[in-house]
Amino acid sequence: FCFLTFHYLCITGLKFPGVPSSDEPGKIFVLDLNDSRMKPVELRMPRNFDLETFNPHGISLYTDPSGKTPDNLMRGCTPVTHKSLVNDILAVGVDSFYATNDHYFENQFLQSYVEILLFQPWVKEVSHGYYFANGINLSPDKRHIYVADLFDHNVHVLERKEDNTLTRVKTVAVGSLVDNIEVDPETGDLWVGCHPNGWKALLFDPNDPAGSEVVRIQNIHSDKPQVTRVYEDDGQVLIGSSVATTYGGKLLIGTIFHKTLVCDLK
């Protein structure tokens, strides 16, 4: 998911080693949460877009300062290709974004780092030393970056510098395998999709499915951040939760390959 006013963007069609998938190409949908039908609408891609090889893994949205709102057509797509862009992405400008890289496809499964693509077609490493860098997102004031370190069960807080380099500020223990991060634009709370059992998530067994977990982190910049488990099940309802976010008293949970769940927050 990523958030724009009362709309959410969501992606489907991930093809990843060990993850069940279909032959359908990847797609992007818009979900209007003010519509009681809660029906996702597929975005139409430009004619020159290569749909056959579209394999979305991460998604991010940069809001145009002009205030333009999206329609159901993707416009002005400029593909960027680089071997290091293999996980999540965070747009911070019209032509710039941060990206996490777990290096799975280069046989460096335990060596991962965060990279940044600026206004030129090259990649610059700005932070490294992660066990498995995964989800990434931005604080509401745009001063800090949050990185999910999957196998280390942590969320790292990094400060952005003027040259877009990053400095580590702190690490918050989550107690679960952290996947993707969404940030509440009003409160600054982090909503994290998590995997309570890593082996089950990696070695999918339909007879013994991976469970799901959603964690909320409040006051992450304080001396005592509050980490709360908001949702959890053993995989009988939702398999492999990977992302979560909220709007209007609702909790939306996405998964690696299973389905999306909408819950009422109490």
Side-chain angles (χ1 to χ4, degrees):
F1 296 117
C2 63
F3 178 72
L4 175 64
T5 60
F6 51 84
H7 290 94
Y8 281 95
L9 298 181
C10 53
I11 54 178
T12 65
L14 172 65
K15 296 173 180 61
F16 194 81
V19 174
S21 62
S22 70
D23 295 330
E24 291 289 322
K27 297 178 181 179
I28 302 178
F29 292 87
V30 176
L31 178 64
D32 183 351
L33 296 182
N34 285 334
D35 187 339
S36 60
R37 296 173 299 171
M38 299 288 281
K39 183 179 180 180
V41 177
E42 182 179 351
L43 283 177
R44 291 174 289 136
M45 298 299 192
R47 292 182 179 179
N48 63 343
F49 193 84
D50 186 3
L51 286 174
E52 295 301 319
T53 62
F54 186 42
N55 182 22
H57 195 158
I59 186 172
S60 181
L61 182 71
Y62 176 73
T63 303
D64 191 326
S66 67
K68 295 180 180 179
T69 57
D71 53 22
N72 291 334
L73 174 65
M74 292 287 288
R75 303 177 185 274
C77 291
T78 304
V80 176
T81 302
H82 195 281
K83 65 181 181 180
S84 294
L85 305 177
V86 298
N87 207 309
D88 201 8
I89 188 171
L90 171 64
V92 293
V94 175
D95 298 306
S96 57
F97 58 87
Y98 291 90
T100 55
N101 186 348
D102 54 36
H103 272 267
Y104 182 87
F105 296 108
E106 294 187 6
N107 297 318
Q108 298 180 23
F109 190 66
L110 302 180
Q111 296 180 1
S112 50
Y113 54 85
V114 177
E115 297 176 324
I116 178 174
L117 183 67
L118 294 174
F119 297 98
Q120 303 295 331
W122 59 72
V123 172
K124 176 184 178 183
E125 179 185 345
V126 292
S127 185
H128 62 274
Y130 300 94
Y131 198 9
F132 192 108
N134 203 1
I136 183 172
N137 218 315
L138 185 68
S139 62
D141 62 8
K142 299 178 173 56
R143 293 175 51 197
H144 293 90
I145 298 287
Y146 308 120
V147 175
D149 202 342
L150 183 75
F151 290 134
D152 212 22
H153 304 81
N154 292 324
V155 170
H156 299 281
V157 180
L158 304 101
E159 183 181 1
R160 292 181 67 195
K161 302 299 183 182
E162 291 185 3
D163 61 356
N164 285 311
T165 57
L166 302 175
T167 300
R168 290 205 197 194
V169 175
K170 65 188 301 182
T171 297
V172 177
V174 176
S176 188
L177 280 80
V178 287
D179 203 324
N180 290 296
I181 302 170
E182 289 297 319
V183 181
D184 188 305
E186 301 296 331
T187 66
D189 294 349
L190 277 63
W191 293 86
V192 189
C194 299
H195 306 286
N197 188 309
W199 284 114
K200 286 186 178 182
L202 290 173
L203 306 174
F204 174 70
D205 180 356
N207 297 315
D208 187 19
S212 294
E213 196 168 49
V214 173
V215 168
R216 179 187 189 184
I217 305 177
Q218 298 171 279
N219 303 314
I220 193 169
H221 297 283
S222 69
D223 293 335
K224 295 183 178 180
Q226 183 178 352
V227 178
T228 307
R229 273 155 187 74
V230 178
Y231 175 89
E232 56 184 332
D233 74 63
D234 60 2
Q236 299 304 310
V237 177
L238 206 61
I239 300 174
S241 53
S242 60
V243 63
T245 191
T246 63
Y247 177 79
K250 302 286 187 181
L251 173 65
L252 283 79
I253 310 172
T255 61
I256 301 174
F257 66 88
H258 190 208
K259 60 184 177 181
T260 300
L261 185 68
V262 180
C263 310
D264 290 321
L265 284 172
K266 294 182 180 180

